[in-house]
Structure formats: structure tokens, C-alpha cells
Amino acid sequence: MKAALLNLVESQVSRFRQETGLSDTEAVNLKSLLLKLNVLTVYRPLSEKFSGMSLKSGEQRFMLINSNQPKCRQHFTIAHELYHLFIDPNPMPHNCSAEGKKNDVEQCADAFAQMFLMPADGVRQMIPDSELLSGHVSLASVLRIEHYFSVSHAAVLNRIFDLKLIDRKERDCYLQYPVKKTAKEYGYGTALYEPGNENLVIGDFGEKARKLFEEEKISEGHYMELLHKIGINDSED
């Protein structure tokens, strides 16, 4: 990716963090952010090659995320789609996938996701001074970073490689480690690397449906039908 584009994306990330009230070092609570930004987000079990998509119409924004993918991958997809919804000057509906050759816009969205989820200063703060001085980042630090920022093992390694904190040989060595087994050995849970959030809905869809029902603009049957669309069953307590 061209250096000029990387510099542009880095500037966009910094500005977006400021606009959303985030510091230059903290991890992002994506579910809270989506609610704050009023992005209607729906998680559904989808095919393996489909990570997610987003749509924008005026001030209305929608995101669909594949709940069959690991949560760490879901987080990257959400950040990628935030680029399209809030930064991309001409967002076009498309399938967000990790496969295939990507154009400049998609590369920018990926770079945005990486920088947004793992801000450079925040990553460096998670690494002991002794490791920064030696140019060697321990596996323990790598795991600490991925669990603090809730991202994948590979994403962390690529980020610290891009930041020139490790060399290619060390990155490739760490990539060979079995992620779940290694996380357990260092005292971490494995939920980050597993699917989840099936049928979760983030946003005010239910609130708007309830308001329409209370104002008698839709029938009770129509109201329940709308709730069913977002996975809410009226027979549940």
C-alpha cells in the first residue's frame, strides 16, 4: 500500500477517534460505539466467505456481521465497515471478505481497521521498555495486546511488524503457534477466537417499532413481526 495512502488513513483514524471521544491509546468497545453512532447492526450466521457488509442512506447506517466467524474477526469487520460508513466518500454495498485482491479503497478500509483497533501509542504502551529497547517482543506481550484490543493473533503480529517492533522472522515464527492452546497456556480464555453474537441486534430498531405500536401506527401483529425480524420471540420471558 502506498505510503501516501497510509499517511492519509492514519490521519483519518486520529480524527475519527477524536470525534468519537476516544483517546490515542485506549481499546475500543465496538458495541458501545455502534450504539453511540446509531449504526443499526445485525449479527447473523452467514456463509464462511462472507464477513459482513454495510449500507448508508442519508443519515441512516446499517451493518451486517457474520456471527459464524470468530469474535476477533467480527471486530475487524466492524472497524472495516466503519471506514465505509463514516470515512469513505463514496461507499458502495459489497461483501467484506479477507480473500482476493483488493483495490485502494478496500486496502484503506483494512488499514483503517488495523490502526483504529490498535493505535500505535496504545500498542507501544502494552510492551515493556526492556522489549522496546531490545527490539524483541515476547509472546506474552503479543497475547496481552491481542486480548486488550480484542483482535486476532495474526492482526497483532502484522501491526507490530508494520510498526517495526519485530522483524519478519519473529512475526512468522509467532504465526505458527496454535492460538487457542497458547492463549490457555498463558492464562487467557479462548472466547475471542470463537464465533458468537448470533442474532444480536445493536441499535434502536426495537425502540422505533415500539413507538410506532404505541402511537397506533402499526398493529400488534405488525409490531411482533418486526420484533421477529431481529430475533425477538414474543413467547420468551
Side-chain angles (χ1 to χ4, degrees), residues 134-177:
S134 68
H136 166 75
V137 178
S138 68
L139 182 57
S141 292
V142 171
L143 289 163
R144 188 184 314 117
I145 292 167
E146 65 192 71
H147 281 268
Y148 177 72
F149 291 111
S150 298
V151 292
S152 73
H153 189 65
V156 170
L157 291 171
N158 287 327
R159 181 61 168 149
I160 60 179
F161 172 73
D162 290 343
L163 292 172
K164 297 181 171 49
L165 298 172
I166 60 172
D167 59 26
R168 188 181 300 275
K169 182 179 179 181
E170 190 170 26
R171 180 194 67 174
D172 293 346
C173 176
Y174 284 157
L175 281 171
Q176 302 305 313
Y177 282 73

Side-chain angles (χ1 to χ4, degrees), residues 34-101:
L34 289 167
L35 194 59
K36 179 178 181 179
L37 295 174
N38 197 28
V39 178
L40 178 59
T41 306
V42 178
Y43 295 76
R44 289 287 187 270
L46 304 168
S47 65
E48 182 181 347
K49 294 183 178 180
F50 188 97
S51 296
M53 64 171 292
S54 60
L55 296 169
K56 180 181 178 181
S57 177
E59 294 302 311
Q60 302 298 311
R61 295 176 172 89
F62 170 80
M63 198 179 291
L64 176 64
I65 303 297
N66 187 355
S67 61
N68 279 338
Q69 294 191 338
K71 295 188 188 76
C72 54
R73 176 62 200 176
Q74 294 176 26
H75 298 159
F76 192 90
T77 300
I78 290 169
H80 175 106
E81 296 302 336
L82 285 173
Y83 174 87
H84 290 304
L85 291 176
F86 291 93
I87 309 296
D88 188 350
N90 186 33
M92 300 293 292
H94 67 285
N95 170 13
C96 176
S97 172
E99 300 179 359
K101 187 176 180 180

Side-chain angles (χ1 to χ4, degrees), residues 209-221:
R210 182 68 185 183
K211 184 177 180 181
L212 289 173
F213 172 61
E214 290 178 346
E215 292 176 350
E216 299 184 348
K217 293 181 179 179
I218 59 174
S219 66
E220 182 177 3

Side-chain angles (χ1 to χ4, degrees), residues 6 16-17 36 51 64 78 89-91 110 122 132 145 154 156 169 202 205 208 213 217 230 233 236:
L6 282 173
F16 189 65
R17 275 184 160 264
K36 179 178 181 179
S51 296
L64 176 64
I78 290 169
N90 186 33
D110 280 350
L132 292 173
I145 292 167
V156 170
K169 182 179 179 181
I202 298 173
F205 183 91
K208 288 179 177 177
F213 172 61
K217 293 181 179 179
I230 58 174
N233 190 329
E236 297 176 348

